[in-house]
Amino acid sequence: MRTMLKWTAIAIAVIFIGLQFTTPQHTNPHFDEAQTLQRMTAVPPDISALFTRSCNDCHSNKTNWRWYTYVAPISWLTVGHVNDGRVELNFSEWGRYGARMKETRLRAICQQAEKGTMPIASYAFVHPEVKLSRDEVRAICEWTKQEGQRMTSR
């Protein structure tokens, strides 16, 4: 029985080590600073700080890749989440969006924050500081609504 447990532990260790060679690529693609949300719109400093704290790791090209994001199988999840997040909304690419897409993204920012689905639960579990308070959600929603109205009144 002990021998079997020993070989099982060795096999698990070898598999774990082998998985480290399958780590997906961690990227922070180059971007034009002039195309960012902060440069393209009048984002109040408090809202910008909330986005930096709670959103940028998945929704910008400024991801802070922490050490554990390089360890498989966590690396697969984190790189996947970041890539998906950037596809849905990328603050670094804001200037490349058309007016309609900007409007829908502004509404989605508020809706996701109000539902509590952003930041995602697994990220907030590991980083409790990213959780948004009711007041922070309210401030984000007020800004997104004002910005959306400003865009449509042009």
Side-chain angles (χ1 to χ4, degrees):
M1 180 72 169
R2 277 190 137 160
T3 304
M4 186 164 169
L5 285 176
K6 177 182 170 184
W7 284 109
T8 301
I10 290 171
I12 290 171
V14 167
I15 291 169
F16 180 78
I17 291 167
L19 289 176
Q20 303 318 304
F21 296 102
T22 66
T23 300
Q25 188 173 14
H26 295 63
T27 63
N28 274 336
H30 177 74
F31 62 96
D32 180 357
E33 194 69 43
Q35 297 294 313
T36 65
L37 174 72
Q38 284 76 5
R39 290 281 182 89
M40 299 292 298
T41 61
V43 183
D46 60 327
I47 301 301
S48 184
L50 290 174
F51 288 161
T52 298
R53 184 190 84 203
S54 298
C55 308
N56 276 1
D57 273 350
C58 293
H59 295 287
S60 79
N61 293 347
K62 301 176 186 177
T63 303
N64 177 13
W65 295 106
R66 292 162 180 87
W67 69 268
Y68 61 83
T69 68
Y70 291 90
V71 179
I74 295 168
S75 59
W76 306 334
L77 296 171
T78 55
V79 170
H81 282 303
V82 170
N83 290 340
D84 292 345
R86 287 176 179 164
V87 167
E88 288 299 316
L89 170 67
N90 190 331
F91 293 138
S92 299
E93 304 290 333
W94 186 259
R96 301 192 193 300
Y97 295 164
R100 187 178 186 128
M101 186 154 175
K102 287 177 182 176
E103 291 172 35
T104 60
R105 293 304 178 255
L106 287 168
R107 278 195 302 276
I109 289 168
C110 175
Q111 290 168 351
Q112 298 290 317
E114 283 181 327
K115 288 181 192 174
T117 54
M118 284 294 149
I120 62 172
S122 59
Y123 183 70
F125 177 76
V126 177
H127 304 281
E129 71 278 4
V130 304
K131 292 179 184 175
L132 298 168
S133 70
R134 286 185 186 167
D135 289 339
E136 290 169 335
V137 169
R138 191 174 311 116
I140 288 171
C141 288
E142 286 173 13
W143 177 78
T144 59
K145 288 172 185 164
Q146 289 171 359
E147 184 60 24
Q149 289 170 352
R150 189 185 66 74
M151 288 178 58
T152 56
S153 66
R154 287 185 187 173

